[in-house]
Amino acid sequence: VCSSDLDHMFGLSCAKRYDDVELNWNQFASKWKESPLKRRARGYMGGVYYQREQYVEALEIFDANGDMQSVNKCVSRLLNPDKLAVLYEKNKDSRVLGYVIQDYANYLYHAMSSDDDWGTIWPQVKRDYNKMLALGERVVKEKKVKDLALWQDFVGFLYFAAHNDDKAYEAFG
């Protein structure tokens, strides 16, 4: 492992030569012993995925590196019920799912905390509410995830946010 190899990957990344960054990762850096240099190189690869709009792959790398700022950037790109449903179909137990539904719940909470019923800061919260609820209910009904309680809590919180306390208590089980 040599820092000049890392500098090379950095230069390629800055030049937006993403295929070359990936080639360097696959041929060299991915084989390095775990170290701060390898984590940095892996982060460049996460940046490549992010630039290619492969947010799930990027998020998984950033999560493994403990780079929460980059994780949050990826989550914001995945905060969409249709993208979430596709991700669920691909990997029902992906950690990414937990990040995204928690972020949506946070947006919803902040919207609820503002002056009007749904708030004005995040209009997509209201727009996506019914689809998010339908996905959450489907996941709970299917019971194909390891962390079913996460999804039950999510559905319960969505009902609570809509002032449907009976359904919320039912969902919380």
Side-chain angles (χ1 to χ4, degrees):
V1 177
C2 178
S3 63
S4 65
D5 294 332
L6 189 64
D7 292 341
H8 184 65
M9 285 185 75
F10 176 71
L12 292 170
S13 182
C14 289
K16 299 182 180 181
R17 292 176 50 190
Y18 303 127
D19 290 342
D20 292 330
V21 174
E22 184 173 23
L23 182 66
N24 273 270
W25 170 256
N26 289 332
Q27 288 184 342
F28 306 109
S30 67
K31 296 168 179 65
W32 295 346
K33 190 185 300 184
E34 192 60 42
S35 69
L37 290 177
K38 183 173 183 174
R39 281 190 296 282
R40 176 70 57 93
R42 189 171 39 235
Y44 292 143
M45 198 57 228
V48 166
Y49 286 132
Y50 185 86
Q51 293 302 320
R52 291 177 177 166
E53 299 182 6
Q54 293 174 269
Y55 302 118
V56 172
E57 293 83 353
L59 191 151
E60 289 171 349
I61 287 174
F62 296 140
D63 184 40
N65 277 2
D67 180 354
M68 294 314 294
Q69 184 176 2
S70 296
V71 165
N72 290 335
K73 286 174 71 173
C74 293
V75 167
S76 71
R77 300 295 185 167
L78 294 168
L79 196 59
N80 171 303
D82 298 323
K83 289 179 183 178
L84 190 62
V86 169
L87 176 58
Y88 171 73
E89 291 305 322
K90 285 184 180 178
N91 183 355
K92 292 179 178 20
D93 290 312
S94 170
R95 285 175 43 105
V96 174
L97 291 166
Y99 280 123
V100 176
I101 64 173
Q102 180 168 346
D103 214 43
Y104 182 81
N106 288 339
Y107 281 134
L108 182 56
Y109 174 78
H110 289 294
M112 288 169 48
S113 301
S114 61
D115 291 339
D116 60 355
D117 240 3
W118 286 93
T120 55
I121 301 170
W122 297 285
Q124 79 269 17
V125 170
K126 186 174 182 181
R127 181 195 69 215
D128 293 343
Y129 177 87
N130 289 330
K131 282 185 173 182
M132 291 296 242
L133 179 61
L135 176 62
E137 287 181 322
R138 185 179 121 216
V139 171
V140 169
K141 183 178 179 181
E142 289 177 354
K143 297 181 181 177
K144 294 181 180 177
V145 294
K146 290 179 186 169
D147 193 355
L148 187 60
L150 171 75
W151 287 93
Q152 290 169 320
D153 288 349
F154 180 61
V155 169
F157 181 74
L158 292 177
Y159 278 122
F160 171 76
H163 308 291
N164 189 336
D165 294 343
D166 291 338
K167 285 282 209 176
Y169 291 126
E170 180 182 320
F172 288 131

